[in-house]
Amino acid sequence: MFKTIAWSVVVGFVAYLLFIAGKEILDTRIRQKIEDSYFLKDIGHPQIAFDGKSDNMSKIYRVKDSSVQQITEQLAGWVEPEATGEASDSRVLLLYPKDLVWVHADPQAPGVVWIEVSGKQFVRNAVRGEPLESHGVRAEIEHRWGPLNDLSRYEGFIDSKGRYAPVVQPEHLVLFESSGYVPDRGGGPDEGK
């Protein structure tokens, strides 16, 4: 009897661990799919907000010869988002369990689309609420992840004024790159790996 109970506890514990591991894989699969499919940009600064952990980081990818709508449809086809922000011609926001995915049209380079993958802690710590609210996802984000830091200034890699914002430093300082030049990292085609 004792062996049966002990065995049941062990099996239950292993099943629980497998469930948690499976959930973690499902929660991060859009991040992995984007990382495997698109070209990561080196923007000359660390693409982190605070501590370098994946949920407290924002990574930026570039796609040529595409549109916001095409990329949004592709991403949603790979992994269905939990919520989709109100779309504009220049930006769409997709909410996933652990990530906010921004799809930005480049205001200075027609046909170039930027995909930004921001972890939930990055969003909570560094992202300004107004652009999230204007796209209709702030309430959903705060419901799922908790309140946003209302002192934050970051509006995404391309802000509402069409400026490039390459980094948010730990002091919540946003550095803008007014020239729009963003160097490539590594080799390979811009369209993907």
Side-chain angles (χ1 to χ4, degrees):
M1 174 86 169
F2 178 73
K3 286 184 180 181
T4 304
I5 293 172
W7 181 248
S8 296
V9 169
V10 169
V11 169
F13 183 70
V14 169
Y16 174 75
L17 290 177
L18 289 173
F19 171 77
I20 295 298
K23 184 173 178 354
E24 180 68 23
I25 290 168
L26 290 175
D27 286 352
T28 59
R29 62 192 163 144
I30 192 63
R31 184 185 313 157
Q32 189 63 50
K33 192 74 172 158
I34 291 169
E35 191 173 297
D36 292 344
S37 303
Y38 298 112
F39 194 69
L40 178 68
K41 301 305 283 187
D42 184 347
I43 54 177
H45 302 284
Q47 297 178 68
I48 61 172
F50 301 102
D51 59 15
K53 294 180 181 174
S54 62
D55 69 342
N56 207 8
M57 182 180 294
S58 196
K59 291 186 175 183
I60 298 146
Y61 301 82
R62 181 179 180 193
V63 185
K64 289 175 101 177
D65 302 322
S66 197
S67 70
V68 168
Q69 182 179 356
Q70 289 170 321
I71 296 301
T72 301
E73 288 172 2
Q74 184 176 43
L75 296 174
W78 286 342
V79 181
E80 187 173 342
E82 293 185 335
T84 302
E86 294 175 21
S88 70
D89 290 339
S90 62
R91 182 187 286 181
V92 175
L93 304 178
L94 306 170
L95 181 61
Y96 290 91
K98 291 193 170 198
D99 296 295
L100 177 65
V101 177
W102 317 63
V103 182
H104 305 278
D106 192 310
Q108 298 176 12
V112 173
V113 177
W114 297 95
I115 303 169
E116 182 171 1
V117 182
S118 300
K120 68 179 179 180
Q121 291 304 326
F122 180 90
V123 173
R124 289 186 63 217
N125 292 327
V127 175
R128 190 169 157 232
E130 186 181 332
L132 303 178
E133 195 167 325
S134 69
H135 283 274
V137 294
R138 180 178 181 158
E140 188 67 28
I141 287 171
E142 289 188 323
H143 171 72
R144 292 173 186 274
W145 297 346
L148 300 175
N149 177 353
D150 285 326
L151 300 176
S152 299
R153 295 178 51 212
Y154 189 70
E155 297 182 12
F157 179 60
I158 298 173
D159 74 357
S160 60
K161 296 177 183 168
R163 298 179 298 177
Y164 298 82
V167 70
V168 176
Q169 294 185 339
E171 301 82 26
H172 301 279
L173 173 67
V174 179
L175 302 177
F176 291 99
E177 187 172 314
S178 59
S179 70
Y181 172 71
V182 182
D184 289 335
R185 174 182 173 186
D190 281 343
E191 292 82 16
K193 293 185 177 180

